[in-house]
Short mmCIF file of all heavy atoms in Angstrom, two decimals:
data_model
loop_
_atom_site.label_atom_id
_atom_site.label_comp_id
_atom_site.label_asym_id
_atom_site.label_seq_id
_atom_site.Cartn_x
_atom_site.Cartn_y
_atom_site.Cartn_z
N MET A 254 -0.57 -72.37 31.45
CA MET A 254 -1.11 -71.61 30.33
C MET A 254 -1.59 -72.54 29.23
O MET A 254 -0.86 -73.41 28.80
CB MET A 254 -0.02 -70.72 29.75
CG MET A 254 0.09 -69.38 30.38
SD MET A 254 1.18 -68.39 29.38
CE MET A 254 2.28 -67.85 30.62
N SER A 255 -2.79 -72.32 28.77
CA SER A 255 -3.30 -73.12 27.66
C SER A 255 -3.50 -72.24 26.43
O SER A 255 -4.59 -72.14 25.88
CB SER A 255 -4.60 -73.80 28.05
OG SER A 255 -5.59 -72.82 28.24
N ALA A 256 -2.44 -71.59 26.03
CA ALA A 256 -2.49 -70.73 24.85
C ALA A 256 -2.30 -71.58 23.60
O ALA A 256 -1.92 -72.75 23.67
CB ALA A 256 -1.41 -69.67 24.93
N GLN A 257 -2.55 -70.96 22.49
CA GLN A 257 -2.36 -71.65 21.22
C GLN A 257 -0.89 -72.01 21.05
O GLN A 257 -0.01 -71.21 21.36
CB GLN A 257 -2.79 -70.71 20.09
CG GLN A 257 -3.34 -71.40 18.90
CD GLN A 257 -3.85 -70.39 17.88
OE1 GLN A 257 -3.32 -69.31 17.76
NE2 GLN A 257 -4.88 -70.76 17.16
N PRO A 258 -0.59 -73.22 20.58
CA PRO A 258 0.81 -73.61 20.42
C PRO A 258 1.52 -72.70 19.43
O PRO A 258 0.92 -72.22 18.46
CB PRO A 258 0.75 -75.03 19.87
CG PRO A 258 -0.65 -75.48 20.05
CD PRO A 258 -1.50 -74.28 20.23
N THR A 259 2.80 -72.47 19.69
CA THR A 259 3.60 -71.63 18.81
C THR A 259 3.71 -72.28 17.44
O THR A 259 3.93 -73.48 17.34
CB THR A 259 5.01 -71.44 19.40
OG1 THR A 259 4.87 -70.95 20.73
CG2 THR A 259 5.83 -70.48 18.58
N GLY A 260 3.56 -71.47 16.40
CA GLY A 260 3.70 -71.98 15.04
C GLY A 260 2.40 -72.46 14.42
O GLY A 260 2.41 -72.99 13.33
N SER A 261 1.27 -72.29 15.10
CA SER A 261 0.00 -72.71 14.50
C SER A 261 -0.96 -71.53 14.46
O SER A 261 -1.83 -71.38 15.30
CB SER A 261 -0.61 -73.87 15.29
OG SER A 261 -0.95 -73.45 16.58
N PRO A 262 -0.81 -70.64 13.49
CA PRO A 262 -1.72 -69.49 13.38
C PRO A 262 -3.12 -69.95 12.99
O PRO A 262 -3.33 -71.05 12.51
CB PRO A 262 -1.10 -68.63 12.29
CG PRO A 262 -0.27 -69.57 11.50
CD PRO A 262 0.19 -70.65 12.45
N SER A 263 -4.07 -69.08 13.22
CA SER A 263 -5.46 -69.43 12.93
C SER A 263 -5.69 -69.59 11.44
O SER A 263 -4.95 -69.08 10.61
CB SER A 263 -6.40 -68.37 13.50
OG SER A 263 -6.23 -67.17 12.80
N SER A 264 -6.75 -70.28 11.10
CA SER A 264 -7.04 -70.51 9.69
C SER A 264 -7.45 -69.23 8.97
O SER A 264 -7.24 -69.10 7.78
CB SER A 264 -8.13 -71.56 9.54
OG SER A 264 -9.33 -71.12 10.13
N GLU A 265 -8.02 -68.26 9.71
CA GLU A 265 -8.37 -66.99 9.09
C GLU A 265 -7.12 -66.23 8.65
O GLU A 265 -7.10 -65.61 7.59
CB GLU A 265 -9.20 -66.12 10.04
CG GLU A 265 -10.57 -66.65 10.33
CD GLU A 265 -10.60 -67.66 11.46
OE1 GLU A 265 -9.59 -67.74 12.20
OE2 GLU A 265 -11.59 -68.38 11.59
N ALA A 266 -6.09 -66.28 9.46
CA ALA A 266 -4.83 -65.62 9.10
C ALA A 266 -4.21 -66.31 7.90
O ALA A 266 -3.68 -65.65 7.00
CB ALA A 266 -3.87 -65.61 10.28
N ASN A 267 -4.28 -67.62 7.87
CA ASN A 267 -3.74 -68.35 6.72
C ASN A 267 -4.48 -67.99 5.44
O ASN A 267 -3.87 -67.81 4.39
CB ASN A 267 -3.81 -69.85 6.96
CG ASN A 267 -2.78 -70.34 7.95
OD1 ASN A 267 -1.79 -69.67 8.21
ND2 ASN A 267 -3.04 -71.50 8.52
N ALA A 268 -5.80 -67.89 5.53
CA ALA A 268 -6.59 -67.52 4.36
C ALA A 268 -6.27 -66.10 3.91
O ALA A 268 -6.18 -65.82 2.71
CB ALA A 268 -8.08 -67.65 4.66
N GLY A 269 -6.06 -65.21 4.86
CA GLY A 269 -5.70 -63.83 4.51
C GLY A 269 -4.37 -63.75 3.78
O GLY A 269 -4.24 -63.03 2.80
N TRP A 270 -3.40 -64.49 4.28
CA TRP A 270 -2.10 -64.50 3.60
C TRP A 270 -2.18 -65.16 2.22
O TRP A 270 -1.50 -64.76 1.29
CB TRP A 270 -1.04 -65.19 4.45
CG TRP A 270 -0.53 -64.31 5.54
CD1 TRP A 270 -0.76 -64.44 6.87
CD2 TRP A 270 0.27 -63.13 5.38
NE1 TRP A 270 -0.15 -63.42 7.55
CE2 TRP A 270 0.49 -62.61 6.67
CE3 TRP A 270 0.82 -62.48 4.29
CZ2 TRP A 270 1.24 -61.46 6.89
CZ3 TRP A 270 1.57 -61.33 4.50
CH2 TRP A 270 1.77 -60.83 5.79
N ALA A 271 -3.03 -66.18 2.09
CA ALA A 271 -3.20 -66.82 0.79
C ALA A 271 -3.83 -65.86 -0.21
O ALA A 271 -3.42 -65.81 -1.38
CB ALA A 271 -4.06 -68.07 0.93
N VAL A 272 -4.81 -65.08 0.23
CA VAL A 272 -5.44 -64.09 -0.65
C VAL A 272 -4.42 -63.03 -1.05
O VAL A 272 -4.31 -62.67 -2.22
CB VAL A 272 -6.66 -63.44 0.05
CG1 VAL A 272 -7.14 -62.21 -0.69
CG2 VAL A 272 -7.78 -64.46 0.18
N PHE A 273 -3.67 -62.53 -0.07
CA PHE A 273 -2.64 -61.53 -0.35
C PHE A 273 -1.61 -62.07 -1.34
O PHE A 273 -1.24 -61.38 -2.30
CB PHE A 273 -1.95 -61.12 0.96
CG PHE A 273 -0.79 -60.19 0.76
CD1 PHE A 273 -1.00 -58.87 0.42
CD2 PHE A 273 0.50 -60.64 0.91
CE1 PHE A 273 0.06 -58.00 0.23
CE2 PHE A 273 1.58 -59.79 0.72
CZ PHE A 273 1.36 -58.47 0.38
N GLY A 274 -1.15 -63.28 -1.14
CA GLY A 274 -0.17 -63.88 -2.03
C GLY A 274 -0.69 -64.08 -3.44
O GLY A 274 0.02 -63.86 -4.42
N THR A 275 -1.94 -64.49 -3.54
CA THR A 275 -2.55 -64.68 -4.86
C THR A 275 -2.65 -63.36 -5.61
O THR A 275 -2.31 -63.29 -6.80
CB THR A 275 -3.94 -65.31 -4.71
OG1 THR A 275 -3.82 -66.57 -4.04
CG2 THR A 275 -4.60 -65.52 -6.06
N LEU A 276 -3.11 -62.31 -4.93
CA LEU A 276 -3.22 -61.00 -5.58
C LEU A 276 -1.86 -60.45 -5.98
O LEU A 276 -1.68 -59.92 -7.08
CB LEU A 276 -3.95 -60.01 -4.66
CG LEU A 276 -5.42 -60.33 -4.39
CD1 LEU A 276 -5.97 -59.39 -3.33
CD2 LEU A 276 -6.24 -60.26 -5.66
N LEU A 277 -0.88 -60.59 -5.10
CA LEU A 277 0.47 -60.11 -5.40
C LEU A 277 1.09 -60.89 -6.56
O LEU A 277 1.70 -60.30 -7.46
CB LEU A 277 1.34 -60.19 -4.15
CG LEU A 277 2.74 -59.62 -4.27
CD1 LEU A 277 2.67 -58.12 -4.56
CD2 LEU A 277 3.52 -59.88 -3.00
N ALA A 278 0.92 -62.20 -6.55
CA ALA A 278 1.48 -63.02 -7.62
C ALA A 278 0.85 -62.69 -8.97
O ALA A 278 1.54 -62.64 -9.99
CB ALA A 278 1.28 -64.49 -7.30
N GLY A 279 -0.45 -62.46 -8.98
CA GLY A 279 -1.12 -62.08 -10.23
C GLY A 279 -0.55 -60.80 -10.80
O GLY A 279 -0.29 -60.69 -12.00
N LEU A 280 -0.37 -59.80 -9.93
CA LEU A 280 0.20 -58.53 -10.39
C LEU A 280 1.64 -58.70 -10.88
O LEU A 280 2.02 -58.15 -11.92
CB LEU A 280 0.15 -57.50 -9.26
CG LEU A 280 -1.22 -56.95 -8.92
CD1 LEU A 280 -1.14 -56.10 -7.66
CD2 LEU A 280 -1.78 -56.15 -10.06
N LEU A 281 2.44 -59.44 -10.13
CA LEU A 281 3.84 -59.60 -10.51
C LEU A 281 4.02 -60.41 -11.79
O LEU A 281 4.79 -60.02 -12.67
CB LEU A 281 4.62 -60.26 -9.36
CG LEU A 281 4.84 -59.40 -8.13
CD1 LEU A 281 5.51 -60.22 -7.03
CD2 LEU A 281 5.69 -58.18 -8.46
N VAL A 282 3.30 -61.51 -11.89
CA VAL A 282 3.47 -62.37 -13.07
C VAL A 282 2.95 -61.69 -14.33
O VAL A 282 3.67 -61.55 -15.32
CB VAL A 282 2.76 -63.73 -12.85
CG1 VAL A 282 2.69 -64.52 -14.15
CG2 VAL A 282 3.50 -64.53 -11.79
N TRP A 283 1.69 -61.24 -14.30
CA TRP A 283 1.12 -60.65 -15.52
C TRP A 283 1.67 -59.26 -15.81
O TRP A 283 1.81 -58.86 -16.97
CB TRP A 283 -0.40 -60.64 -15.46
CG TRP A 283 -0.91 -62.03 -15.60
CD1 TRP A 283 -1.42 -62.83 -14.63
CD2 TRP A 283 -0.91 -62.83 -16.80
NE1 TRP A 283 -1.74 -64.06 -15.15
CE2 TRP A 283 -1.44 -64.08 -16.47
CE3 TRP A 283 -0.51 -62.58 -18.12
CZ2 TRP A 283 -1.59 -65.10 -17.41
CZ3 TRP A 283 -0.67 -63.59 -19.05
CH2 TRP A 283 -1.19 -64.83 -18.70
N GLY A 284 2.02 -58.52 -14.75
CA GLY A 284 2.70 -57.24 -14.97
C GLY A 284 4.06 -57.46 -15.59
O GLY A 284 4.49 -56.73 -16.48
N GLY A 285 4.77 -58.51 -15.14
CA GLY A 285 6.06 -58.85 -15.73
C GLY A 285 5.94 -59.28 -17.18
O GLY A 285 6.76 -58.91 -18.02
N VAL A 286 4.93 -60.07 -17.47
CA VAL A 286 4.71 -60.48 -18.86
C VAL A 286 4.40 -59.27 -19.73
O VAL A 286 4.95 -59.13 -20.83
CB VAL A 286 3.56 -61.53 -18.94
CG1 VAL A 286 3.11 -61.75 -20.37
CG2 VAL A 286 3.99 -62.83 -18.31
N GLY A 287 3.56 -58.38 -19.23
CA GLY A 287 3.25 -57.17 -19.98
C GLY A 287 4.47 -56.29 -20.17
O GLY A 287 4.68 -55.72 -21.25
N TYR A 288 5.30 -56.18 -19.14
CA TYR A 288 6.52 -55.38 -19.23
C TYR A 288 7.47 -55.96 -20.28
O TYR A 288 8.00 -55.23 -21.14
CB TYR A 288 7.20 -55.33 -17.87
CG TYR A 288 8.54 -54.65 -17.89
CD1 TYR A 288 8.63 -53.27 -17.96
CD2 TYR A 288 9.72 -55.39 -17.84
CE1 TYR A 288 9.86 -52.64 -17.98
CE2 TYR A 288 10.95 -54.78 -17.86
CZ TYR A 288 11.02 -53.40 -17.94
OH TYR A 288 12.24 -52.79 -17.97
N LEU A 289 7.70 -57.27 -20.22
CA LEU A 289 8.62 -57.90 -21.17
C LEU A 289 8.10 -57.82 -22.60
O LEU A 289 8.86 -57.53 -23.53
CB LEU A 289 8.88 -59.34 -20.76
CG LEU A 289 9.68 -59.52 -19.48
CD1 LEU A 289 9.75 -61.01 -19.10
CD2 LEU A 289 11.07 -58.93 -19.61
N LEU A 290 6.81 -58.09 -22.79
CA LEU A 290 6.23 -57.97 -24.13
C LEU A 290 6.28 -56.53 -24.63
O LEU A 290 6.52 -56.28 -25.81
CB LEU A 290 4.80 -58.48 -24.15
CG LEU A 290 4.60 -59.99 -24.22
CD1 LEU A 290 3.13 -60.34 -24.09
CD2 LEU A 290 5.18 -60.55 -25.50
N GLY A 291 6.03 -55.59 -23.73
CA GLY A 291 6.08 -54.18 -24.09
C GLY A 291 7.47 -53.75 -24.53
O GLY A 291 7.62 -52.99 -25.49
N ARG A 292 8.49 -54.23 -23.85
CA ARG A 292 9.87 -53.91 -24.25
C ARG A 292 10.22 -54.58 -25.58
O ARG A 292 10.88 -54.00 -26.42
CB ARG A 292 10.86 -54.34 -23.18
CG ARG A 292 10.86 -53.40 -22.00
CD ARG A 292 11.96 -53.72 -21.05
NE ARG A 292 13.24 -53.77 -21.73
CZ ARG A 292 14.29 -53.04 -21.40
NH1 ARG A 292 14.20 -52.20 -20.40
NH2 ARG A 292 15.42 -53.16 -22.05
N TRP A 293 9.78 -55.83 -25.76
CA TRP A 293 10.11 -56.57 -26.96
C TRP A 293 9.40 -55.98 -28.18
O TRP A 293 10.00 -55.83 -29.25
CB TRP A 293 9.70 -58.03 -26.76
CG TRP A 293 10.03 -58.93 -27.91
CD1 TRP A 293 11.21 -59.02 -28.58
CD2 TRP A 293 9.16 -59.88 -28.52
NE1 TRP A 293 11.12 -59.97 -29.56
CE2 TRP A 293 9.88 -60.52 -29.55
CE3 TRP A 293 7.85 -60.26 -28.28
CZ2 TRP A 293 9.32 -61.50 -30.34
CZ3 TRP A 293 7.31 -61.25 -29.07
CH2 TRP A 293 8.03 -61.85 -30.09
N LEU A 294 8.13 -55.61 -28.02
CA LEU A 294 7.35 -55.07 -29.13
C LEU A 294 7.37 -53.55 -29.20
O LEU A 294 6.78 -52.97 -30.11
CB LEU A 294 5.90 -55.56 -29.03
CG LEU A 294 5.68 -57.07 -29.10
CD1 LEU A 294 4.24 -57.41 -28.80
CD2 LEU A 294 6.12 -57.60 -30.44
N ASP A 295 8.02 -52.90 -28.24
CA ASP A 295 8.11 -51.44 -28.16
C ASP A 295 6.73 -50.80 -28.07
O ASP A 295 6.41 -49.85 -28.78
CB ASP A 295 8.92 -50.88 -29.33
CG ASP A 295 9.42 -49.46 -29.05
OD1 ASP A 295 9.60 -49.13 -27.86
OD2 ASP A 295 9.62 -48.71 -30.01
N VAL A 296 5.90 -51.38 -27.19
CA VAL A 296 4.55 -50.86 -26.94
C VAL A 296 4.43 -50.65 -25.43
O VAL A 296 4.31 -51.61 -24.67
CB VAL A 296 3.47 -51.85 -27.43
CG1 VAL A 296 2.08 -51.30 -27.12
CG2 VAL A 296 3.63 -52.11 -28.91
N ALA A 297 4.46 -49.40 -24.99
CA ALA A 297 4.47 -49.10 -23.56
C ALA A 297 3.16 -49.46 -22.87
O ALA A 297 3.13 -49.66 -21.66
CB ALA A 297 4.79 -47.63 -23.35
N ALA A 298 2.08 -49.54 -23.60
CA ALA A 298 0.77 -49.78 -22.99
C ALA A 298 0.60 -51.22 -22.51
O ALA A 298 -0.36 -51.50 -21.78
CB ALA A 298 -0.33 -49.45 -23.99
N LEU A 299 1.48 -52.13 -22.87
CA LEU A 299 1.30 -53.52 -22.47
C LEU A 299 1.57 -53.75 -20.98
O LEU A 299 1.00 -54.67 -20.39
CB LEU A 299 2.18 -54.44 -23.31
CG LEU A 299 1.77 -54.56 -24.78
CD1 LEU A 299 2.72 -55.47 -25.53
CD2 LEU A 299 0.35 -55.07 -24.89
N PHE A 300 2.40 -52.92 -20.37
CA PHE A 300 2.67 -53.08 -18.94
C PHE A 300 1.42 -52.82 -18.10
O PHE A 300 1.03 -53.67 -17.29
CB PHE A 300 3.84 -52.21 -18.51
CG PHE A 300 4.12 -52.23 -17.04
CD1 PHE A 300 4.44 -53.42 -16.40
CD2 PHE A 300 4.06 -51.08 -16.29
CE1 PHE A 300 4.69 -53.46 -15.04
CE2 PHE A 300 4.31 -51.10 -14.93
CZ PHE A 300 4.62 -52.29 -14.30
N PRO A 301 0.76 -51.67 -18.25
CA PRO A 301 -0.47 -51.48 -17.46
C PRO A 301 -1.58 -52.46 -17.83
O PRO A 301 -2.37 -52.85 -16.96
CB PRO A 301 -0.89 -50.04 -17.74
CG PRO A 301 -0.03 -49.54 -18.81
CD PRO A 301 1.11 -50.48 -18.98
N ILE A 302 -1.63 -52.88 -19.07
CA ILE A 302 -2.63 -53.89 -19.47
C ILE A 302 -2.33 -55.20 -18.75
O ILE A 302 -3.24 -55.88 -18.27
CB ILE A 302 -2.65 -54.07 -21.00
CG1 ILE A 302 -3.25 -52.83 -21.65
CG2 ILE A 302 -3.42 -55.32 -21.40
CD1 ILE A 302 -3.14 -52.80 -23.16
N GLY A 303 -1.06 -55.57 -18.66
CA GLY A 303 -0.68 -56.77 -17.93
C GLY A 303 -1.02 -56.69 -16.46
O GLY A 303 -1.49 -57.66 -15.86
N LEU A 304 -0.81 -55.51 -15.86
CA LEU A 304 -1.17 -55.33 -14.46
C LEU A 304 -2.67 -55.48 -14.24
O LEU A 304 -3.11 -56.14 -13.30
CB LEU A 304 -0.72 -53.95 -13.96
CG LEU A 304 0.78 -53.76 -13.73
CD1 LEU A 304 1.05 -52.30 -13.37
CD2 LEU A 304 1.28 -54.68 -12.65
N LEU A 305 -3.46 -54.87 -15.12
CA LEU A 305 -4.91 -54.98 -15.00
C LEU A 305 -5.39 -56.42 -15.21
O LEU A 305 -6.28 -56.90 -14.49
CB LEU A 305 -5.60 -54.04 -15.98
CG LEU A 305 -5.48 -52.55 -15.67
CD1 LEU A 305 -6.05 -51.72 -16.81
CD2 LEU A 305 -6.18 -52.22 -14.38
N LEU A 306 -4.81 -57.08 -16.19
CA LEU A 306 -5.17 -58.47 -16.45
C LEU A 306 -4.81 -59.35 -15.25
O LEU A 306 -5.59 -60.21 -14.84
CB LEU A 306 -4.47 -58.97 -17.71
CG LEU A 306 -4.75 -60.41 -18.12
CD1 LEU A 306 -6.22 -60.54 -18.52
CD2 LEU A 306 -3.85 -60.81 -19.27
N GLY A 307 -3.63 -59.12 -14.67
CA GLY A 307 -3.22 -59.87 -13.49
C GLY A 307 -4.11 -59.63 -12.30
O GLY A 307 -4.46 -60.55 -11.56
N ALA A 308 -4.49 -58.37 -12.08
CA ALA A 308 -5.38 -58.04 -10.97
C ALA A 308 -6.74 -58.70 -11.15
O ALA A 308 -7.32 -59.24 -10.20
CB ALA A 308 -5.52 -56.54 -10.83
N ALA A 309 -7.25 -58.66 -12.38
CA ALA A 309 -8.56 -59.26 -12.65
C ALA A 309 -8.52 -60.78 -12.49
O ALA A 309 -9.41 -61.37 -11.87
CB ALA A 309 -9.02 -58.89 -14.05
N ALA A 310 -7.48 -61.41 -13.02
CA ALA A 310 -7.37 -62.86 -12.92
C ALA A 310 -7.18 -63.30 -11.47
O ALA A 310 -7.78 -64.29 -11.03
CB ALA A 310 -6.21 -63.36 -13.78
N ALA A 311 -6.38 -62.57 -10.71
CA ALA A 311 -6.16 -62.93 -9.31
C ALA A 311 -7.43 -62.70 -8.49
O ALA A 311 -7.75 -63.52 -7.61
CB ALA A 311 -5.01 -62.11 -8.75
N THR A 312 -8.15 -61.64 -8.76
CA THR A 312 -9.39 -61.38 -8.04
C THR A 312 -10.42 -62.47 -8.33
O THR A 312 -11.09 -62.96 -7.43
CB THR A 312 -9.97 -60.00 -8.44
OG1 THR A 312 -8.98 -59.00 -8.14
CG2 THR A 312 -11.25 -59.70 -7.70
N TYR A 313 -10.51 -62.88 -9.57
CA TYR A 313 -11.41 -63.97 -9.93
C TYR A 313 -10.99 -65.28 -9.24
O TYR A 313 -11.82 -66.03 -8.74
CB TYR A 313 -11.47 -64.16 -11.45
CG TYR A 313 -12.36 -65.30 -11.86
CD1 TYR A 313 -13.74 -65.19 -11.76
CD2 TYR A 313 -11.82 -66.50 -12.31
CE1 TYR A 313 -14.57 -66.24 -12.11
CE2 TYR A 313 -12.63 -67.56 -12.66
CZ TYR A 313 -14.01 -67.42 -12.57
OH TYR A 313 -14.82 -68.47 -12.91
N SER A 314 -9.69 -65.53 -9.20
CA SER A 314 -9.20 -66.74 -8.54
C SER A 314 -9.53 -66.73 -7.05
O SER A 314 -9.94 -67.76 -6.50
CB SER A 314 -7.68 -66.84 -8.74
OG SER A 314 -7.16 -67.93 -8.06
N VAL A 315 -9.37 -65.59 -6.40
CA VAL A 315 -9.72 -65.48 -4.98
C VAL A 315 -11.23 -65.67 -4.80
O VAL A 315 -11.66 -66.35 -3.87
CB VAL A 315 -9.26 -64.12 -4.42
CG1 VAL A 315 -9.88 -63.84 -3.07
CG2 VAL A 315 -7.74 -64.08 -4.33
N TYR A 316 -12.02 -65.10 -5.68
CA TYR A 316 -13.48 -65.25 -5.60
C TYR A 316 -13.88 -66.72 -5.74
O TYR A 316 -14.71 -67.22 -4.97
CB TYR A 316 -14.16 -64.42 -6.68
CG TYR A 316 -15.63 -64.74 -6.82
CD1 TYR A 316 -16.54 -64.33 -5.85
CD2 TYR A 316 -16.10 -65.47 -7.90
CE1 TYR A 316 -17.88 -64.64 -5.97
CE2 TYR A 316 -17.43 -65.79 -8.02
CZ TYR A 316 -18.32 -65.37 -7.06
OH TYR A 316 -19.65 -65.69 -7.17
N VAL A 317 -13.29 -67.41 -6.69
CA VAL A 317 -13.64 -68.81 -6.90
C VAL A 317 -13.24 -69.65 -5.70
O VAL A 317 -13.98 -70.53 -5.26
CB VAL A 317 -12.98 -69.35 -8.18
CG1 VAL A 317 -13.05 -70.87 -8.27
CG2 VAL A 317 -13.62 -68.72 -9.41
N ARG A 318 -12.08 -69.36 -5.12
CA ARG A 318 -11.59 -70.19 -4.03
C ARG A 318 -12.24 -69.86 -2.69
O ARG A 318 -12.56 -70.76 -1.92
CB ARG A 318 -10.09 -70.04 -3.92
CG ARG A 318 -9.49 -70.93 -2.88
CD ARG A 318 -8.03 -71.09 -3.03
NE ARG A 318 -7.56 -72.05 -2.04
CZ ARG A 318 -6.32 -72.37 -1.87
NH1 ARG A 318 -5.41 -71.84 -2.67
NH2 ARG A 318 -5.96 -73.22 -0.96
N TYR A 319 -12.45 -68.58 -2.39
CA TYR A 319 -12.91 -68.20 -1.06
C TYR A 319 -14.27 -67.51 -1.03
O TYR A 319 -14.89 -67.44 0.02
CB TYR A 319 -11.90 -67.23 -0.42
CG TYR A 319 -10.55 -67.86 -0.20
CD1 TYR A 319 -9.49 -67.55 -1.04
CD2 TYR A 319 -10.33 -68.75 0.83
CE1 TYR A 319 -8.25 -68.13 -0.86
CE2 TYR A 319 -9.10 -69.34 1.02
CZ TYR A 319 -8.06 -69.01 0.18
OH TYR A 319 -6.84 -69.58 0.35
N GLY A 320 -14.75 -67.00 -2.16
CA GLY A 320 -15.93 -66.18 -2.13
C GLY A 320 -17.24 -66.87 -2.36
O GLY A 320 -18.29 -66.34 -2.03
N ARG A 321 -17.24 -68.03 -2.93
CA ARG A 321 -18.50 -68.73 -3.20
C ARG A 321 -19.03 -69.35 -1.93
O ARG A 321 -18.31 -69.99 -1.17
CB ARG A 321 -18.29 -69.82 -4.24
CG ARG A 321 -18.02 -69.27 -5.61
CD ARG A 321 -18.01 -70.37 -6.61
NE ARG A 321 -17.77 -69.81 -7.94
CZ ARG A 321 -17.69 -70.55 -9.02
NH1 ARG A 321 -17.78 -71.83 -8.94
NH2 ARG A 321 -17.49 -69.98 -10.18
N SER A 322 -20.30 -69.17 -1.71
CA SER A 322 -20.93 -69.82 -0.54
C SER A 322 -21.78 -70.99 -1.02
O SER A 322 -22.43 -70.92 -2.06
CB SER A 322 -21.78 -68.82 0.23
OG SER A 322 -22.76 -68.28 -0.61
N SER A 323 -21.76 -72.04 -0.26
CA SER A 323 -22.49 -73.26 -0.66
C SER A 323 -23.95 -73.18 -0.34
O SER A 323 -24.41 -72.63 0.56
CB SER A 323 -21.90 -74.46 0.07
OG SER A 323 -20.56 -74.61 -0.28
#
């Protein structure tokens, strides 16, 4: 059998997981910052603003890293 060696997934799968991780991290980090600031300042709107900011920043980061064509 000349199958792909175990433990070496394709580069497309790696890129997909990197995109997923970047988007998830953006939501978690900036959503967490918005949540903590919202609790500290007693402003409930900062949590969804943090989530939106995180989603936008992560989407831009993915675009810069994977979306530009040469």
Side-chain angles (χ1 to χ4, degrees):
M254 271 190 232
S255 66
Q257 210 175 32
T259 306
S261 65
S263 68
S264 63
E265 292 85 15
N267 286 341
W270 281 110
V272 167
F273 174 74
T275 301
L276 294 173
L277 185 62
L280 288 172
L281 289 174
V282 169
W283 289 105
V286 168
Y288 174 76
L289 292 174
L290 280 174
R292 284 188 54 123
W293 182 48
L294 298 172
D295 199 27
V296 178
L299 290 179
F300 176 60
I302 290 171
L304 287 175
L305 290 173
L306 181 66
T312 302
Y313 178 73
S314 176
V315 167
Y316 169 73
V317 167
R318 184 163 184 183
Y319 297 104
R321 290 188 178 179
S322 58
S323 299

